[in-house]
Amino acid sequence: MATAARVLRQLRHDLRTVLLLMAVPVLLTALMKWIFLDDERVFQRVGVPLLGIFPMTSMFLVTSITMLRERTGGTLERLMTMPIARGELVGGYAVAFGLLAAVQVGLTAAVAFGLLGLEVDGPVVAVLGLAILNALLGTALGLFVSAFASTEFQAVQFMPAFLLPQILLCGLLAPREGMARPLEILSDVLPMTYAYDALSRVARGGGWSARLWLDLGFLTGASVLALALGSATLRRRTQ
């Protein structure tokens, strides 16, 4: 919790980053509404999944860059000389960015459902919960991939390299059943596929089916695995 409080204090002094995190998903959701203004059905189909995809991508980016700064700036090395477990350290970052993600998702959903006319057959609370879970997954993945970047430019490049293929293959742009068989198999192991499926099922009012629980289990497991791998990349150094 001390680590989470420190990260939140740092973010409080970086208002531009916070404002971008809050504003960009809202603006992108509104942009999708205006693009398909003449075909409301398209926005209703993709609007709910985008409530999870946009926060996931933005949290992935800001988390990977922030963690990279901690690694390269010496902050992480100083923290690792203290009696703190690696899991506690990574968990602190996850809590801080998770709270930020919850605010981001709440604001985006309020605009989408309140101003843009997005409708769902399932419970809105379930949509919010899934969107927050997707943002937490983006946070966990960002913490993990930050270990493989040595500059902020490299960290930014991980987003198109790591997330863009998932957006293309998750079923948002085209049904996965119509893809080439190797791509369909690849999509079966990508986290965003399960994020898209879960949000789509809730939007259609599918209820708490066995497949929805499978999606939730996969997303939760992927988040825990990414946090565990992120913890494994931390090295304690003493003099």
Side-chain angles (χ1 to χ4, degrees):
M1 297 308 297
T3 299
R6 178 181 63 82
V7 174
L8 290 175
R9 285 195 299 269
Q10 291 176 338
L11 289 172
R12 187 182 62 184
H13 297 294
D14 191 358
L15 293 180
R16 284 179 296 182
T17 298
V18 175
L19 289 175
L20 284 173
L21 278 174
M22 298 299 114
V24 169
V26 173
L27 294 176
L28 290 177
T29 304
L31 182 61
M32 292 297 296
K33 167 72 174 182
W34 297 328
I35 288 175
F36 299 105
L37 193 59
D38 293 335
D39 193 349
E40 183 70 18
R41 294 173 299 176
V42 176
F43 178 70
Q44 295 297 334
R45 181 180 68 84
V46 303
V48 172
L50 289 179
L51 287 180
I53 292 176
F54 285 156
M56 180 190 292
T57 54
S58 61
M59 294 309 299
F60 174 90
L61 181 60
V62 71
T63 305
S64 59
I65 292 177
T66 301
M67 193 62 175
L68 176 64
R69 289 178 178 175
E70 300 278 71
R71 293 175 185 269
T72 58
T75 301
L76 188 60
E77 183 175 349
R78 291 192 295 270
L79 288 173
M80 293 303 294
T81 62
M82 302 173 63
I84 181 173
R86 292 179 295 180
E88 293 174 343
L89 187 60
V90 172
Y93 285 97
V95 169
F97 286 109
L99 292 174
L100 193 63
V103 177
Q104 181 193 64
V105 167
L107 180 60
T108 306
V111 173
F113 291 114
L115 298 179
L116 301 180
L118 184 62
E119 299 176 355
V120 292
D121 294 330
V124 175
V125 175
V127 174
L128 293 176
L130 286 170
I132 293 174
L133 180 59
N134 290 335
L136 289 173
L137 176 59
T139 298
L141 293 174
L143 290 171
F144 170 58
V145 302
S146 67
F148 304 99
S150 57
T151 65
E152 293 185 13
F153 178 75
Q154 291 179 3
V156 171
Q157 293 304 307
F158 270 113
M159 187 179 74
F162 196 79
L163 291 184
L164 185 56
Q166 297 193 55
I167 295 175
L168 296 175
L169 297 177
C170 70
L172 178 66
L173 302 180
R176 294 191 300 120
E177 294 78 9
M179 298 179 184
R181 183 57 180 168
L183 295 180
E184 185 179 356
I185 295 174
L186 176 61
S187 68
D188 289 338
V189 298
L190 297 177
M192 197 173 290
T193 298
Y194 296 85
Y196 172 79
D197 284 348
L199 285 165
S200 296
R201 292 177 191 280
V202 172
R204 296 193 302 266
W208 295 96
S209 62
R211 181 52 194 263
L212 181 59
W213 284 110
L214 174 63
D215 294 334
L216 290 174
F218 189 94
L219 291 173
T220 302
S223 299
V224 173
L225 178 61
L227 288 176
L229 292 175
S231 299
T233 63
L234 302 181
R235 293 293 181 267
R236 187 183 302 276
R237 298 181 181 179
T238 57
Q239 295 181 353

